[in-house]
Each structure stands twice: as structure tokens, then as C-alpha cells.
Amino acid sequence: MDSVTTITDAPTRWEPGRLSRVPYWAFQREDVYAREQERVFRGDCWNYLCLEAEVPQKGDFVATRAGDTPVIASRGRDGEIYAFENRCAHRGALLALKERGNVKEFTCVYHAWSYNLEGDLTGVAFKDGIKGKGGMAPSFCMEDHGPRKLRVAVVHGLVFGSFSNDVPEIENYIGEEVLSRIARVLAGRKLEVIGRFTQMLPNNWKLYVENTKDSYHASILHLFFTTFEINRLSQKGAIIVSPNGGNHVSYSAIDPEAASADYAEQNIRSESEFGLADPSLLNGVDEIGDGVTLQILSVFPGFVLQQIQNAIAVRQILPKGVEQTELNWTLLGFADDTPELRLMRLKQGNLVGPAGFVSMEDGCVGGFVQRGIAGSADEDAVLEMGGEDAVSSESRVTEAAVRGFWKAYRQEMAL
């Protein structure tokens, strides 16, 4: 293994096989970050790229990333979706400078090398020189030059890409149980984008991934959840953890019978006198028909699908260096939404995003951790709530899904 990805600096202590201890150096080191880019984001994993609904027509594209590698996802001339590096094969400049759009081809602004919608090099300006002088050598073959291409898989309107030929098929990668929970929300429905947020988090990307998998914190940190009884650990629900640990689902149903005394006895920040000027924000309908009002689902390494009542969104978690994370939210509706349901979704969109009534705290708490561990690289986080394994549970008073992330992470990172 080359020096770029070898973890060489002390400390490298990490007890083999133990998932309930995570050394803080994992969130702090440049060599760990470089190894993640190679072994996770450009390794044997599927990266969420975009929604199929964002590239509906031939020539539509989205400029996205796999880890810190810029990627273009485009709708090709044959109607299929392709993904390739957003990088000119000549001198490395970005091909797509806008986040999204529609084009007939991609042309590099630097020297006008051009590429088709499938990522193939199709033109080199002045390839044959001028008046028989200059230009590329006769042996230059355009088919041998081009940005790296990704394998593409589409699951219920979600577009994933991988640089690896060895990664399992997407259905096997996600697993039947978690896949069925994606289908529960998205299957057979025509997606429409109804809103977008992007926020920069002052913390390592893995701290936010931990947060999404941590059902234990949700009704403690988020005052809105318990005040309006949207999510309490005493409500009906469960945790699903995939066999490899990397994918998870946490779900619950509003339960008027759930005992508020369970929270009052803990003497924690869980109740408030706050109310809503517009209580209709809390109105919801059981559009799926199973009574589940909250479902948070993740696919390793950085994809999240959420349902909070009728607010449905996907989140894309992207590292931006060791201590910064880009978090992209895309709020979803469906083509067959009634005007009343669409309004309900838009109102409940205020629960999420950078200033969301629920999500606001998640945007800062990772930064509290990043700052808190600054001088403690040789110390460990303790993940023992609900045991030390990474298995499904009927209780959400557990960190099993967080431990599952570290199980998958250590496998991919060979740590």
C-alpha cells in the first residue's frame, strides 16, 4: 500500500473487533481522510449521486461528487443515465461548471476538448494542427483518453455510482430488509423535487453519519420532537441494521399512549412550554397506510432517506476535508400529490434543513464534538447503549446502528 493511504502516525490503536469504542483520531487525521477517499468513496461502495427525476431528459446533467471526487451524472443519447468524472482528460479542468443543466455535449473551457453525454472524448481542438504543423501525434487515439467512468445503478428513482467493478449489485449491497423500506416510501411513485438546501457542517463527515444512525439522541436533543410528541423512545418502533452493518432503518409511530413520565423522570431537556402559531404544521396523513410517522434510513457511506410525517427528503453527505462536511438536502413530493398534500409537505419542510425545527440542532452538535475532541486523539468514544453488537432491535434506546457503521467502515478501510 502506498504512503498516501498508509496510516503511519501514532496513535493507531483500535481494538480489533470491538465496535463500542471509536478512537477520536478517526475524525482528525489527514492520512485517514486520504485513505477514505481511496478505499470508501472510490472503493467497493455505492455513492448516491442524484435523483433520476433531476435528469429526466436527454442531455440533462447534475454535477455532484463521490467523496471529494467531482462527478457528472447525465442522461445519455440512448435515454440511460451515465456517470463519469467531472474532469477533462487533457489538463484536469472541470467539464461542467454549473450544478445542473441541459447540454448536447460537454466542452472544456480551457482548451475545448469535448465529450459526449456518455463521457467519451469526441473532439480535440486543433488535433491535426494548422497547415500541417503542430497538433497531436498520429498515434494519439481519442478512445484511450477520457475521464474515469462509474458503474451506475438506479433504485426506486435514486441514482448511485461506483468506481469499482467488484462492488456487489446495488440490491445485494443495500440488502432486502433496508431495500423494502426504500420501496415503502418511493416505489411506483413519480418523484418531484419541491425544495433544496445545502449547508456546511463544521465537523468530520462521519460525525454526521453517526448522528443519522443514532435513534437514541433524537428525542433528547430535539426539543420539537418530544414537545409535540412526534418522536419519543417510548413510542412503537424498531431499528433495522443490515448484516454488514453499513445500512440501517429507524422507524416509529406516533403513540398517544406513550408515557410522558418516562421522560420527566430522566430530568432531561425533553419538555417545553413552546407552542405553534400555526398548529397546522403538525397536520399529517397516513399516505402509506402503515401508521409509521417517522423513518430514517441510511445506505453506506453517505446516503439518507427520511420520512418525518409527510416531509420526505434525501440527504447527501459529502466530506469537504477532515473537519468540514457538505450536506445536501432534496425535499420530495410526488406527481399525484393533491394540492392539500403538497401544501402539507411544504409546511413540514420547515422541520428539516439548516434552520429546521428538528434538524437545526444536528447542524451544530457535530461541531461541538469536533471541538470537544481537539486535544484527545488518544481517547475513545463510548458506544455501549443497547449493548456492543450491531444487530436489529425492537428498542430504539440503542446505538446498534452507529456500531454498524463502524463495522462496515472498518471492513472497507481494513482497520
Side-chain angles (χ1 to χ4, degrees):
M1 191 173 292
D2 62 62
S3 59
V4 173
T5 59
T6 300
I7 297 180
T8 55
D9 300 332
T12 55
R13 173 188 51 77
W14 199 336
E15 187 176 343
R18 191 173 189 189
L19 304 177
S20 62
R21 294 289 185 276
V22 177
Y24 290 133
W25 57 255
F27 305 103
Q28 298 174 316
R29 290 169 44 176
E30 294 287 351
D31 56 343
V32 173
Y33 182 85
R35 187 182 180 99
E36 290 169 352
Q37 299 308 311
E38 180 178 339
R39 297 190 66 103
V40 176
F41 297 103
R42 293 192 295 271
D44 295 339
C45 296
W46 286 102
N47 299 277
Y48 170 72
L49 300 180
C50 65
L51 296 168
E52 193 174 21
E54 293 179 283
V55 286
Q57 304 297 326
K58 295 177 183 179
D60 288 346
F61 74 89
V62 172
T64 181
R65 299 207 314 276
D68 59 12
T69 303
V71 170
I72 293 171
S74 70
R75 181 76 68 171
R77 294 166 296 175
D78 59 359
E80 299 297 318
I81 297 177
Y82 293 82
F84 48 92
E85 280 185 292
N86 187 1
R87 173 185 62 82
C88 182
H90 178 214
R91 300 274 288 277
L94 291 172
L95 293 174
L97 301 179
K98 296 181 179 180
E99 290 185 359
R100 61 193 78 248
N102 182 279
V103 295
K104 292 183 178 179
E105 63 178 5
F106 296 95
T107 301
C108 179
V109 298
Y110 201 175
H111 298 93
W113 285 34
S114 57
Y115 304 80
N116 61 25
L117 299 173
E118 295 79 43
D120 303 312
L121 178 63
T122 55
V124 174
F126 302 113
K127 175 177 174 292
D128 299 323
I130 297 178
K131 296 181 180 179
K133 296 181 180 180
M136 305 297 286
S139 60
F140 179 80
C141 179
M142 288 198 293
E143 288 79 9
D144 294 338
H145 297 271
R148 284 179 294 181
K149 296 184 179 181
L150 289 74
R151 287 175 60 188
V152 172
V154 180
V155 179
H156 298 304
L158 308 170
V159 180
F160 292 85
S162 178
F163 285 100
S164 171
N165 289 322
D166 297 323
V167 65
E169 295 297 322
I170 190 70
E171 292 81 6
N172 295 330
Y173 181 89
I174 295 174
E176 183 178 350
E177 236 184 330
V178 176
L179 190 61
S180 71
R181 287 285 173 157
I182 295 177
R184 171 187 170 271
V185 179
L186 302 180
R189 311 176 81 180
K190 184 178 179 182
L191 298 179
E192 293 184 346
V193 175
I194 63 173
R196 291 188 176 93
F197 302 109
T198 294
Q199 64 188 116
M200 302 304 296
L201 307 178
N203 52 265
N204 187 274
W205 69 276
K206 299 185 294 295
L207 288 172
Y208 187 79
V209 173
E210 280 194 325
N211 179 275
T212 66
K213 294 174 178 285
D214 178 4
S215 57
Y216 164 50
H217 86 279
S219 59
I220 300 173
L221 175 66
H222 301 308
L223 196 61
F224 192 93
F225 267 160
T226 48
T227 297
F228 299 105
E229 299 186 1
I230 294 175
N231 182 15
R232 295 189 176 202
L233 293 172
S234 51
Q235 292 171 347
K236 299 173 183 177
I239 294 285
I240 299 169
V241 183
S242 64
N244 74 342
N247 313 321
H248 103 290
V249 183
S250 172
Y251 66 92
S252 64
I254 290 178
D255 182 4
E257 304 294 320
S260 59
D262 292 334
Y263 279 78
E265 291 169 0
Q266 301 299 317
N267 193 29
I268 58 178
R269 178 181 174 269
S270 64
E271 304 282 353
S272 80
E273 72 284 0
F274 295 119
L276 289 170
D278 181 7
S280 69
L281 177 69
L282 299 175
N283 293 345
V285 296
D286 185 3
E287 58 182 299
I288 297 170
D290 58 6
V292 171
T293 50
L294 184 142
Q295 175 181 286
I296 306 296
L297 179 154
S298 69
V299 175
F300 185 90
F303 170 77
V304 180
L305 170 65
Q306 67 159 61
Q307 172 217 344
I308 302 178
Q309 297 200 182
N310 299 105
I312 298 172
V314 297
R315 311 178 205 169
Q316 181 188 37
I317 304 167
L318 295 171
K320 291 280 286 185
V322 173
E323 295 189 358
Q324 192 174 50
T325 300
E326 179 180 322
L327 178 59
N328 295 317
W329 300 78
T330 306
L331 276 63
L332 305 180
F334 301 97
D336 60 357
D337 284 349
T338 64
E340 294 78 15
L341 181 54
R342 180 59 60 89
L343 179 60
M344 195 177 297
R345 293 196 203 284
L346 291 169
K347 279 189 176 183
Q348 291 177 4
N350 289 292
L351 298 176
V352 300
F357 290 132
V358 174
S359 304
M360 176 174 56
E361 295 94 341
D362 291 329
C364 60
V365 73
F368 297 163
V369 176
Q370 195 76 50
R371 289 156 57 190
I373 65 176
S376 304
D378 57 346
E379 299 290 337
D380 294 337
V382 178
L383 302 175
E384 292 186 4
M385 185 61 66
E388 297 201 17
D389 55 14
V391 297
S392 301
S393 169
E394 293 183 359
S395 171
R396 291 178 297 126
V397 190
T398 180
E399 292 164 319
V402 184
R403 293 189 290 268
F405 169 77
W406 291 109
K407 178 181 177 181
Y409 177 86
R410 293 184 70 171
Q411 175 67 30
E412 296 301 328
M413 291 281 287
L415 290 175

